[in-house]
């Protein structure tokens, strides 16, 4: 099975968790993203349905305040 953005999504999930965000896979197969305050920010499909899906996810996370270059919680 080919996953167009699988490795990029895994790296993103790691960065989100280091920043204090919660990422979970729902029973439906979708990914759910909560910010560090516990607010549900967005839901994303588990499979790439179009080429812009991952970009849309990054946009939603950025609008919610996530920066991939931000300092991680507990690290310098």
């Amino acid at each position: 099975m080919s996953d167009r953005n699988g490795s990029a999504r895994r790296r993103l999930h790691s960065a989100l968790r280091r920043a204090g965000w919660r990422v979970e896979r729902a029973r439906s197969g979708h990914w759910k993203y909560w910010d560090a305050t516990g607010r549900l920010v967005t839901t994303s499909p588990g499979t790439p349905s179009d080429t812009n899906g991952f970009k849309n996810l990054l946009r939603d996370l950025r609008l919610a305040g996530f920066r991939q270059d931000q300092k991680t919680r507990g690290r310098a």
Side-chain angles (χ1 to χ4, degrees), residues 17-50:
R17 288 182 178 120
R18 283 192 306 270
W21 288 54
R22 193 171 95 203
V23 179
E24 291 183 8
R25 186 112 188 206
R27 288 179 49 188
S28 63
H30 286 69
W31 290 97
K32 293 185 176 189
Y33 301 88
W34 287 269
D35 65 9
T37 65
R39 180 179 62 103
L40 179 64
V41 172
T42 190
T43 304
S44 173
T47 59
S49 58
D50 74 52

Side-chain angles (χ1 to χ4, degrees), residues 7 12 15-16 19 21 40 44-45 55 57 61-63 68 76:
S7 61
L12 174 64
L16 284 164
W21 288 54
L40 179 64
S44 173
K55 291 178 185 178
L57 170 62
L61 295 173
R62 187 178 62 250
L63 289 173
Q68 287 187 315

